[in-house]
Amino acid sequence: MAAGHQPSPASAEPAALEPWLQPLQQALGLEAARGFANLKGRQSCFSAFLAQQLQQGPQGLPAAELGRVLALREGFLRYDELSLARRQSLVRQCRERLHALRQAHRPVLAVAPPRLRLVPASKGGVVRNFNADTPLAEIPGVGPKTASRLAQLGLLLARDLLHYYPRDYLDYANLVRIAGLEPGRTATIVATVRRSHAFASPRNPNLSILELQLVDCTGRIRVSRFFAGQRFSSPGWLKTQQRQYPPGATVAVSGLVKETAYGPAFQDPLIEVLESAQAPVRSGAIGRMLPVYGLTEGLGADRLRQLVEVVLPLLRDWPDPLPESIRRSQGLMGRADALTQIHAPANQEQLQASRRRLVFDEFLLLQLSLAQRRHQLRQRQALPLLLLPGGEGLVERFLAILPFALTQAQERVLAEIRADLARPQPMARLVQGDVGSGKTVVALASLLCAIEAGCQGALMAPTEVLAEQHYRKLGEWLPQLHVSSALLTGSTPAPRRRALLQDLANGQLQLLVGTHALLEDPVQFDRLGLVVVDEQHRFGVRQRNRLLAKGLQPHLLTMTATPIPRTLALSVHGDLDVSQIDGLPPGRQPIRTVLLKGSQRQRAYGLIREQVALGQRAYVVLPLVEESEKLDLRSAVEVYHQLKEEVFAELRVGLLHGRLNSADKQAAIAAFAAGDTQVLVSTTVVEVGVDVPQASVMLIDHAERFGLAQLHQLRGRVGRGAAASHCLLINDSSNVLARQRLELLVRSSDGFEIAEMDLRLRGPGQVLGTRQSGLPDLALASLTDDGEVLERARAVAQEITQADPSLEAHPGLAQALAEQRRRQMDQAARLN
């Protein structure tokens, strides 16, 4: 601090601060505008004036605050000696520090936000020439080019445009005073023009700038608009711009607020001069919530908004499919109002209310569809699979030869299944169980119930590896029970296939295990009683139904080791009863999960050597089979050669991936299971079904490339024996979110917690793994955020279906459901 200046510890009064700051900022602004030439005034030059003024800072400022500004005084004393760049830097620093000082001591005034009257949004004229099913190309103002661009977005009819919801909004309805502007938010201010200046940029002759100094009762702001092009640089055009914003005029300004060195400023602002302070704003954007739509090349945001505005009047004639009693009980607005407000919301409250109504509709139609499917299934007749009372049945004999007793959870689920099988309606049940919970044993016991009742069983798996794993597992038990079984996959030789199909058709073959090959038309059963679908989320609804069509009306049991969050289960499997095997068999060891960096691979390899020396085995899993030019990732083939030839030259290393033929896959798994190979390098082929109790290490390279639920599945391949097991996640990404995601896996072994987080992070399509998984096509609704609305819609759907299963008393809902199914069929036809 300069000598002779002794500020008191009390805070400076704003009244004393402003007269000191204002001339300083004016001088600095003028110097910057004139090219940092050390302007000469009447009494002194710029640098001498600055050095003198800084020395005379007001009394009462904290020493630290004033010291930051006074530290620059030395630079102004040597201003003539500085280069242009150093002068620019010094002036900029001084302006920033003075601005910070002003902000720190600005009085906080309780000032109400400005008021702004809006001209009501256009409701459009009377719709004479078109209706909801009019092709967009025939709507006035839509030419062939625009129609083809809309078609690229899947918009063909007028109704499509009404259901093309905004993906976001620019909230220009956020009215604030100048002092209340927050960087990063959109806002609207109403202020008075103090000065306006339009000029050509001194640095770029093709750029013109309109600069307005605006004030309100809380502060001032500089608003700039830029015009690129030579036609904007003529003196006449610039004068016209300046005259549009005379000093004293009231203007409304909307835009995104950004932080600058001199305080908040608007980026690309929208500006309208108001006829008076009380006059309404006529702009269709200023002061409103502006919808933001997904666009395509050649179709601008304003053009799409205009087209939506043209078709909005159609909503006047649309009936509401939801009865008024339901709307009242659920507190929902009318559908026409909801569609209007989603495209042109008056405020945030109206937007939320409209979204809630449309989300409710989406979930209600989904739940009605599932409830109807469930009702139709229960109307059908199935063969009750009754077992003779007492005696040693197949199931009892099977349980007796197992080397372990069933857990309480397994017994409970098996009892639920046996009760379902005994009914004359077809069972439709989903069994969820975390990895290693013992679903296969429950599934086989259920199939034996069907076989004991004189029927055939089918066990369907999504991959050949898993189908063959199941078949081998069953081969340990079925011969002892004198039950005939066979395996049918795409790799089954033709002679074997013919013999197998013949045995199946005449009833000699009691249990068929297979992949999607079971869906093929030549596969005919004599008396199919029960179908078990494993890893159910990998099969679509149509695939399940094709298999069901092969029997009289077989019972259906589906299983998944991928825990499904409740909202997803209700949306995809709402037509199924759900059982959960929520306990692990005794003796299972907890798996220790560790997160490592790419540089710590040697530590992971050291652990593998230790475990192999103890007689254990290890998996090394990678996301790619072979190297990719697009992705900088280690591949399975590359790592296999590296481990075999360099890292584990003394160990036996195997390779398994999806491009191997079936025989080679089985040979690789069999060699690993027998201990002929000690380290198995693999892709996610091992994710489900590969069961080697001696494997105690799972090393997953590039773990950030996998979903959480998938990593949890891979981790479940170890920990199946008595030895302590390890899961090592190698994260090559520097992404903070990727690390946080993987840390959840280190902390938790709860499959449901992991699945909930996976759903939130990656979305339902990624969690289920495929689009044909029966996932509903939701335009607005979110399975992560709208769980409460889903539960309400499900309760309403159940009430409606119980009282009116065919929806005869709800014609609006019946029509909406029929339209939705037609749209889905059209989409499916277009995809195929």
Side-chain angles (χ1 to χ4, degrees):
M1 185 176 290
H5 192 96
Q6 298 294 326
S8 69
S11 180
E13 287 296 317
L17 184 63
E18 196 58 34
W20 177 68
L21 281 174
Q22 199 167 338
L24 280 168
Q25 286 286 34
Q26 280 179 338
L28 289 159
L30 200 57
E31 173 72 359
R34 298 294 170 85
F36 306 94
N38 201 7
L39 286 170
K40 301 287 188 286
R42 287 198 192 96
Q43 296 176 352
S44 64
C45 64
F46 160 75
S47 58
F49 171 75
L50 255 287
Q52 182 185 355
Q53 283 292 104
L54 288 174
Q55 178 74 16
Q56 297 170 356
Q59 296 291 321
L61 276 177
E65 288 186 9
L66 192 58
R68 289 190 74 242
V69 178
L70 283 176
L72 301 175
R73 182 172 176 270
E74 188 66 31
F76 288 107
L77 291 172
R78 296 187 299 104
Y79 195 73
D80 279 330
E81 303 166 20
L82 301 180
S83 66
L84 178 62
R86 293 290 302 277
R87 289 183 182 190
Q88 287 174 333
S89 175
L90 182 65
V91 168
R92 178 179 54 77
Q93 281 184 314
C94 193
R95 293 178 81 176
E96 286 176 358
R97 292 182 188 185
L98 290 173
H99 173 72
L101 202 59
R102 175 183 270 152
Q103 290 295 102
H105 294 276
R106 174 170 281 169
V108 180
L109 301 173
V111 180
R115 295 189 177 186
L116 192 63
R117 283 179 59 208
L118 303 177
V119 171
S122 167
K123 299 288 184 189
V126 178
V127 181
R128 295 188 184 90
N129 303 329
F130 59 91
N131 58 39
D133 293 312
T134 302
L136 288 171
E138 296 174 19
I139 288 177
V142 180
K145 276 188 181 174
T146 303
S148 69
R149 286 165 184 156
L150 290 167
Q152 288 172 20
L153 296 171
L155 307 175
L156 306 173
L157 308 176
R159 72 167 67 247
D160 296 337
L161 210 47
L162 291 169
H163 289 122
Y164 190 61
Y165 302 132
R167 60 179 172 80
D168 202 356
Y169 298 86
L170 297 173
D171 187 5
Y172 296 149
N174 175 30
L175 293 172
V176 297
R177 298 286 182 185
I178 290 173
L181 290 171
E182 292 178 46
R185 288 194 65 188
T186 48
T188 295
I189 61 169
V190 179
T192 304
V193 178
R194 188 167 182 179
R195 187 170 75 88
S196 69
H197 182 37
F199 57 96
S201 167
R203 294 182 183 174
N204 182 352
N206 289 327
L207 183 68
S208 298
I209 303 167
L210 170 67
E211 200 171 88
L212 303 180
Q213 292 281 356
L214 305 180
V215 295
D216 69 6
C217 60
T218 66
R220 67 172 115 195
I221 189 171
R222 183 171 67 186
V223 174
S224 303
R225 283 194 67 186
F226 299 89
F227 303 90
Q230 213 155 11
R231 66 184 187 279
F232 299 121
S233 58
S234 70
W237 188 88
L238 292 170
K239 283 288 181 194
T240 305
Q241 285 297 305
Q242 209 163 304
R243 279 197 295 270
Q244 284 182 17
Y245 305 97
T250 301
V251 293
V253 182
S254 292
L256 175 66
V257 182
K258 61 177 182 177
E259 185 64 82
T260 72
Y262 315 115
F266 283 101
Q267 183 174 317
D268 300 326
L270 303 168
I271 309 172
E272 182 176 329
V273 179
L274 306 181
E275 291 175 10
S276 70
Q278 285 75 40
V281 67
R282 300 189 177 281
S283 163
I286 291 175
R288 304 178 194 273
M289 293 193 69
L290 208 60
V292 178
Y293 298 93
L295 301 172
T296 187
E297 191 178 352
L299 187 66
D302 290 337
R303 180 75 179 117
L304 190 52
R305 286 188 203 110
Q306 288 169 2
L307 294 174
V308 171
E309 209 170 290
V310 168
V311 297
L312 275 180
L314 289 171
L315 293 169
R316 298 177 198 151
D317 305 322
W318 277 22
D320 196 321
L322 210 56
E324 194 178 341
S325 58
I326 295 176
R327 289 206 306 271
R328 265 203 315 273
S329 69
Q330 298 299 321
L332 300 170
M333 64 163 55
R335 184 165 175 84
D337 288 341
L339 283 166
T340 302
Q341 289 295 325
I342 204 80
H343 290 291
N347 50 47
Q348 280 286 356
E349 290 73 26
Q350 290 292 306
L351 174 61
Q352 293 308 318
S354 66
R355 187 184 177 281
R356 183 180 173 83
R357 164 64 205 263
L358 297 172
V359 166
F360 182 88
D361 284 6
E362 285 187 0
F363 280 143
L364 180 65
L365 291 179
L366 168 66
Q367 292 300 321
L368 281 173
S369 178
L370 291 169
Q372 282 191 334
R373 195 189 301 167
R374 188 184 181 108
H375 179 78
Q376 287 161 6
L377 190 69
R378 291 193 168 162
Q379 296 307 302
R380 296 177 189 167
Q381 291 296 305
L383 206 61
L385 304 182
L386 297 169
L387 305 181
L388 297 173
E392 281 279 302
L394 266 180
V395 177
E396 282 67 31
R397 283 162 49 207
F398 165 61
L399 297 178
I401 63 173
L402 287 176
F404 50 82
L406 295 189
T407 64
Q408 285 186 339
Q410 285 173 311
E411 286 179 351
R412 184 189 69 245
V413 172
L414 182 55
E416 289 169 353
I417 292 168
R418 290 176 85 159
D420 282 354
L421 294 176
R423 296 191 184 102
Q425 290 87 32
M427 171 176 74
R429 185 170 288 279
L430 169 69
V431 174
Q432 286 199 90
D434 216 335
V435 280
S437 58
K439 297 177 300 301
T440 309
V441 169
V442 172
L444 182 53
S446 308
L447 287 163
L448 291 173
C449 288
I451 291 164
E452 191 175 341
C455 293
Q456 292 167 301
L459 173 56
M460 190 170 167
T463 65
E464 286 194 7
V465 167
L466 186 52
E468 285 160 354
Q469 178 88 24
H470 279 318
Y471 183 63
R472 269 209 319 281
K473 195 89 174 169
L474 303 187
E476 298 172 15
W477 298 313
L478 293 183
Q480 300 177 59
L481 302 169
H482 308 294
V483 171
S484 58
S485 64
L487 174 68
L488 177 63
T489 69
S491 306
T492 305
R496 171 76 185 128
R497 177 184 290 260
R498 279 195 298 273
L500 185 155
L501 293 177
Q502 190 175 345
D503 288 349
L504 194 66
N506 63 28
Q508 287 181 13
L509 185 59
Q510 294 167 295
L511 177 57
L512 183 60
V513 181
T515 56
H516 52 80
L518 298 190
L519 299 172
E520 293 168 11
D521 289 334
V523 182
Q524 294 299 330
F525 291 82
D526 174 43
R527 199 165 183 245
L528 181 58
L530 173 63
V531 177
V532 177
V533 181
D534 195 11
E535 285 307 315
Q536 126 80 29
H537 70 291
R538 293 172 179 237
F539 284 112
V541 173
R542 277 194 216 91
Q543 288 171 303
R544 279 191 344 226
N545 291 345
R546 277 183 67 186
L547 192 55
L548 292 178
K550 292 187 179 293
L552 177 69
Q553 182 58 58
H555 298 275
L556 173 68
L557 177 66
T558 60
M559 304 193 300
T560 178
T562 305
I564 302 173
R566 178 171 171 77
T567 53
L568 199 50
L570 291 180
S571 303
V572 182
H573 308 304
D575 55 335
L576 304 176
D577 296 307
V578 180
S579 293
Q580 194 170 321
I581 303 179
D582 46 16
L584 291 180
R588 281 287 165 93
Q589 293 294 319
I591 302 166
R592 182 167 175 261
T593 306
V594 180
L595 182 58
L596 301 174
K597 294 177 185 169
S599 57
Q600 297 175 297
R601 276 193 182 84
Q602 292 308 318
R603 178 179 156 193
Y605 294 155
L607 178 66
I608 289 175
R609 278 195 196 89
E610 284 174 24
Q611 291 295 308
V612 171
L614 294 171
Q616 302 298 312
R617 282 159 231 161
Y619 296 100
V620 177
V621 175
L622 294 111
L624 297 179
V625 177
E626 293 174 335
E627 283 186 80
S628 162
E629 291 179 7
K630 294 180 181 176
L631 298 171
D632 183 21
L633 301 177
R634 289 150 56 84
S635 69
V637 173
E638 175 196 1
V639 170
Y640 165 69
H641 288 298
Q642 184 197 1
L643 296 185
K644 184 179 179 183
E645 293 160 17
E646 299 170 26
V647 181
F648 298 132
E650 75 282 9
L651 303 181
R652 298 183 296 278
V653 182
L655 176 65
L656 172 67
H657 57 73
R659 292 188 196 168
L660 296 175
N661 63 41
S662 185
D664 288 345
K665 278 184 203 164
Q666 282 312 307
I669 293 170
F672 186 63
D676 297 336
T677 54
Q678 297 154 310
V679 177
L680 183 62
V681 179
S682 173
T683 57
T684 52
V685 172
V686 298
E687 180 188 340
V688 289
V690 177
D691 188 1
V692 179
Q694 294 81 6
S696 65
V697 181
M698 170 62 73
L699 166 59
I700 303 171
D701 215 330
H702 297 295
E704 75 279 0
R705 306 288 303 184
F706 298 90
L708 282 179
Q710 195 175 26
L711 289 169
H712 183 60
Q713 288 288 306
L714 288 166
R715 177 167 62 179
R717 296 303 104 211
V718 295
R720 292 168 169 261
S725 293
H726 308 266
C727 178
L728 309 174
L729 306 173
I730 294 186
N731 173 26
D732 283 284
S733 167
S734 56
N735 185 302
V736 176
L737 287 176
R739 182 175 178 82
Q740 287 175 349
R741 208 164 56 85
L742 295 173
E743 281 171 348
L744 172 70
L745 207 71
V746 174
R747 283 198 315 273
S748 175
S749 59
D750 182 339
F752 283 92
E753 182 190 356
I754 290 164
E756 285 284 357
M757 186 56 68
D758 214 23
L759 174 65
R760 189 164 289 281
L761 291 170
R762 297 197 306 149
Q766 290 291 322
V767 170
L768 288 176
T770 169
R771 274 208 64 165
Q772 63 169 15
S773 53
L775 184 67
D777 200 9
L778 302 172
L780 268 184
S782 160
L783 293 177
T784 53
D785 300 329
D786 298 315
E788 181 258 337
V789 183
L790 171 58
E791 297 281 2
R792 282 172 170 267
R794 183 167 185 254
V796 170
Q798 286 175 337
E799 282 176 29
I800 291 172
T801 314
Q802 281 168 8
D804 179 22
S806 58
L807 297 181
E808 288 177 10
H810 298 79
L813 287 173
Q815 185 183 347
L817 206 52
E819 284 175 5
Q820 185 188 65
R821 284 173 181 152
R822 190 169 64 245
R823 272 199 311 275
Q824 287 171 346
M825 287 171 69
D826 290 345
Q827 279 178 355
R830 280 204 297 273
L831 285 171
N832 293 334

